[in-house]
Amino acid sequence: MAARPDRADAPRWTTRTPERLVLAVVHNVTSLTRLLDAVQILEADPRIQVVFTWTRSSPFTHDVEEFLGDIGALTAPWDQVVSMDFDLALSASYGGDLHLLKAPLMVLSHGMGYNKKLARFQIPDSRFQTPGAGPVFGLAPEWLIADGRVVPASIVLSHPEQLDRLVRDCPEAGPAAVVAGDPCLDRMLAALPYRDRYRPAFGAEPRQTHVVVSSTWGPRSLLGEHPDLIADLLAELPMDRFRVTAVLHPNIWHGHGPWQVRAWLAHCLRAGLNLVPPREGWRAALVAADLVIGDHGSVTFYGAALGRPVLTAAFPHEDVDPASPVARLGRAAPALTPGRPLEPQVTRAVAEHDPARYAGIVGCATAVPGGSGRLLRTEMYRLMRLGEPAAPPAVLRVPPLDRGDLEGGRATAALTTVEWRDGVAVVTRVPAPTALHRGGAADGRHLAVDDTELEERLLGLADVVYGLHPGSEASTKEWLARTFDRHPGCHVAAVEESPGICVIGTNDGDMVRCRAERPELAASLVYGWLETGRRLAEIPAECTVEARPTSHSFRFG
C-alpha cells in the first residue's frame, strides 16, 4: 500500500485514516461526468477515500470547479497531487501530464470507445478547429507512452475490437488492456424497460415522436455544418406529433459559454425545443427518444446501441478511425438531407427502422452488457491490492429528469392550418418563432398566440389569441375586450373561464362557450370555421378536432 500523504496542506481525516486513497483526475466537464460512473462503483466502502483533482490541461475550463463543488468533492490541486502517493488514479481522458502521478493509473474512455483522430498537443477549440487527421485518440503511442514506458497500468476497453486496434497502433500497450464493458451504456440499458417514466420530462406523449438532435463539437459536427437544422426541424415538424430535444456536447457549452448557446437557440427555445443541460440528461433523452439525428459523436452511436433509429446530418469520415464502430455506423446509417423536406425523412426513418440492422456494429459497444461494474471493480481492487466487498456492485439506472431540469419545452405561438374532412377539423400546427425566424410568410396559415408570449411582434401579427384567466363572466368579457383592443389584427380570442370551459369571442362581438380542455385548439377551430364564410352561430353543437396523433371533442353552446 502506498504511503499516506504527510504534507502540511494534505487532507486531514476526521474519522479514520483510509486504507486506500484514490485520485480521480478531471480533465473537463465531459470527463468528469464519465468519472462519476466509475467512482460510483467504489461507493459504500469505508476503507476508500476519493480525492478529485483537475489537470487544467483542457481549453474547456468553464464550470469544472463549480461542478466539483456542486457534487461536494474533496479536491486537491494538481501541483500538490503529483507529489503525493495514491493507491489508484482514475482518469477518463489522456489530457495532462498523467505520467507524473505516483499511482497505478486506470484510464477509461469518456465516450463510446476510441474513435476520433486527434493529435496530442493540438488545442481543440470548438469555435475554430476540428479534430482533423492524426492518430486515433487514446490508442496511439503519443497518448499512451511517456519517457519510454506505457503510462496507464490499466487501459479500459469496452470491447475486444478496441483491443485489436490498440495492438495495431501501440502494441506495447496491449498487456495493459482490460476489456471491461461500458458502465455508461449499462446504466442506459437498465433504464430502457422504464422508458415511459423518462418521456414526460420531454413533453413526449405516448403516440408522439420524440426526436433527439445530437451534436458533437467542431466545425464538421452537426451544428458546425448545419447551424440552422434544429430551427428547421422545429419549423417543419408538426408540434402535436413531434417533440424535439437538443443534446449538445459539453465542449460546445463550455467553449462558447452557456449564455451564448442559449442566445443562439433562443428562437428554438421559444418554439418548444427541449435543451438538455451539459452535465446530465443526455442519457435520459436517449432512453426517451424515438429517433436520433446526429453526427460522428458518441451520443449518436449510443442511440443506435439502444435500438433507436438514427439519421446522420453530418459525418466527417476523415476525422474517425475507418475501422472503428462509429465509422462503420456512419457508412451504414441513412443520411438526413438538410434543404429537402424534413418531415418525410424523419417519418420514413422511424417507420422503416429495423433494430437488427446495426446489430453487428452496435454490438461492439460492449462485450459484457450489464457486467461492466463487476469487471471494473475487480480491476480497481486488484490495482489497489485490496479485497473486494462481498456484495456485487450496484448498476444504477440513469436518473429520469424533471420538467424543470430542461430549458424551453413550450411553444406559445403556432402557425396553424385547419382542414375540414368529413366534418372533422384537422389541425396542423408548427411553432411560429422558428417558422417565421428568417422572415418567412404564414403561407395561408393563421397565427395563434398565447397571451403570455413575450415576442411582441408575434402578438401583433396574431389572428388568434388565447389565454388562461379563470374568473367571473364579467372578467371574461373584459379580457376579450381588452385583448381585441390590444391586438387590432386579432379576429378570434379564447379564454379559459373555468377548468374545462372556455369562452371564444370574435372581433365583431360574437361570443360562444365551449367545453374544451384545449382552448388554443378550440379557438383555431372557430377561426377555421369562420374562414369558410360561415357564421359563429352556425357552428355545430359538437365538433371533433384531430391534432394528430390525438383527437378532441368540443361541445359548443
Side-chain angles (χ1 to χ4, degrees):
M1 183 178 72
R4 297 278 61 82
D6 57 4
R7 290 174 50 118
D9 53 354
R12 296 299 181 189
W13 318 118
T14 60
T15 53
R16 52 178 288 177
T17 301
E19 295 182 34
R20 298 294 188 271
L21 196 57
V22 174
L23 182 68
V25 182
V26 178
H27 185 57
N28 51 26
V29 167
T30 309
S31 70
L32 177 52
T33 58
R34 183 56 61 97
L35 272 177
L36 294 177
D37 284 339
V39 297
Q40 173 266 321
I41 296 170
L42 301 174
E43 68 180 13
D45 192 333
R47 300 171 296 173
I48 296 173
Q49 169 73 51
V50 179
V51 177
F52 290 76
T53 191
W54 179 21
T55 65
R56 297 183 181 269
S57 57
S58 170
F60 305 105
T61 60
H62 182 269
D63 196 42
V64 176
E65 286 186 295
E66 293 84 352
F67 196 171
L68 288 167
D70 289 344
I71 65 173
L74 178 66
T75 61
W78 176 255
D79 59 359
Q80 175 184 331
V81 300
V82 294
S83 65
M84 296 167 56
D85 293 321
F86 291 88
D87 301 288
L88 174 64
L90 300 172
S91 179
S93 174
Y94 284 96
D97 294 325
L98 300 179
H99 62 285
L100 299 179
L101 294 173
K102 298 177 181 179
L105 173 65
M106 173 185 280
V107 181
L108 305 93
S109 168
H110 60 259
M112 203 308 293
Y114 297 99
N115 308 285
K116 290 185 179 180
K117 296 179 179 180
L118 181 66
R120 191 173 181 84
F121 309 122
Q122 175 188 355
I123 300 195
D125 188 305
S126 62
R127 294 164 292 184
F128 308 121
Q129 290 185 291
T130 182
V136 179
F137 172 79
L139 300 183
E142 62 181 293
W143 294 102
L144 300 170
I145 295 177
D147 300 329
R149 69 177 181 90
V150 176
V151 175
S154 291
I155 302 170
V156 176
L157 307 174
S158 63
H159 192 276
E161 73 82 20
Q162 294 164 29
L163 177 57
D164 293 339
R165 291 188 290 125
L166 173 66
V167 172
R168 175 199 69 189
D169 292 350
C170 187
E172 308 97 308
V178 177
V179 177
D182 186 331
C184 177
L185 179 58
D186 284 354
R187 296 188 65 190
M188 288 187 280
L189 291 172
L192 277 184
Y194 306 90
R195 187 167 176 263
D196 59 311
R197 300 182 185 177
Y198 290 77
R199 290 173 63 84
F202 301 93
E205 300 293 337
R207 295 170 61 194
Q208 286 182 314
T209 299
H210 180 206
V211 179
V212 172
V213 185
S214 169
S215 179
T216 189
W217 59 274
R220 292 204 284 264
S221 66
L222 181 146
L223 278 190
E225 294 268 355
H226 306 291
D228 293 326
L229 179 59
I230 294 175
D232 291 341
L233 285 164
L234 289 163
E236 294 188 35
L237 299 180
M239 56 193 283
D240 294 299
R241 286 180 52 204
F242 296 91
R243 298 294 296 170
V244 180
T245 295
V247 172
L248 309 183
H249 194 286
N251 287 357
I252 297 176
W253 284 91
H254 302 305
H256 297 282
W259 179 89
Q260 185 63 75
V261 171
R262 296 185 186 103
W264 282 334
L265 295 175
H267 57 301
C268 297
L269 293 170
R270 293 196 298 271
L273 174 71
N274 296 308
L275 183 58
V276 174
R279 294 183 185 179
E280 183 60 88
W282 67 268
R283 297 182 290 191
L286 287 184
V287 171
D290 296 298
L291 171 71
V292 178
I293 298 174
D295 50 25
H296 59 307
S298 293
V299 175
T300 309
F301 193 94
Y302 278 130
L306 295 178
R308 305 281 78 83
V310 298
L311 289 170
T312 57
F315 202 97
H317 293 275
E318 65 273 24
D319 288 349
V320 296
D321 181 352
S324 68
V326 166
R328 292 168 57 197
L329 179 66
R331 293 191 293 267
L336 184 80
T337 305
R340 294 178 55 191
L342 297 174
E343 183 184 355
Q345 298 183 68
V346 167
T347 302
R348 184 168 58 250
V350 174
E352 297 179 357
H353 176 58
D354 177 5
R357 178 177 183 180
Y358 308 122
I361 300 173
V362 300
C364 295
T366 178
V368 284
S372 181
R374 172 179 53 84
L375 294 172
L376 284 174
R377 190 177 75 171
T378 295
E379 180 65 6
M380 290 179 191
Y381 279 77
R382 182 188 73 83
L383 293 173
M384 289 188 291
R385 300 179 184 179
L386 186 66
E388 283 191 69
V395 178
L396 302 179
R397 298 193 301 268
V398 297
L401 298 183
D402 294 325
R403 177 67 256 177
D405 295 328
L406 302 170
E407 298 186 49
R410 179 172 178 259
T412 52
L415 288 177
T416 306
T417 301
V418 180
E419 298 180 76
W420 294 90
R421 301 176 186 172
D422 299 324
V424 174
V426 179
V427 174
T428 303
R429 304 186 301 155
V430 295
T434 46
L436 299 176
H437 176 62
R438 289 184 293 276
D443 299 324
R445 298 169 288 186
H446 70 264
L447 179 59
V449 184
D450 190 309
D451 76 334
T452 63
E453 169 63 50
L454 298 179
E455 187 174 352
E456 188 60 28
R457 179 178 75 105
L458 294 177
L459 282 167
L461 295 171
D463 303 294
V464 172
V465 175
Y466 56 91
L468 300 176
H469 297 274
S472 65
E473 181 176 349
S475 66
T476 297
K477 291 180 179 179
E478 291 172 3
W479 185 93
L480 290 171
R482 187 167 59 247
T483 296
F484 288 120
D485 183 59
R486 285 174 175 168
H487 313 296
C490 176
H491 298 285
V492 173
V495 58
E496 185 180 69
E497 186 177 54
S498 60
I501 302 293
C502 68
V503 176
I504 304 172
T506 67
N507 59 351
D508 58 9
D510 290 339
M511 188 172 66
V512 67
R513 278 183 174 78
C514 177
R515 184 175 297 277
E517 295 182 354
R518 299 282 300 275
E520 74 277 17
L521 293 181
S524 285
L525 165 67
V526 168
Y527 184 92
W529 177 264
L530 297 175
E531 208 174 22
T532 64
R534 291 172 284 194
R535 297 184 299 114
L536 183 58
E538 299 171 341
I539 198 165
E542 292 189 11
C543 289
T544 298
V545 171
E546 285 189 4
R548 296 175 180 173
T550 60
S551 181
H552 308 268
S553 295
F554 298 152
R555 177 179 289 276
F556 291 91

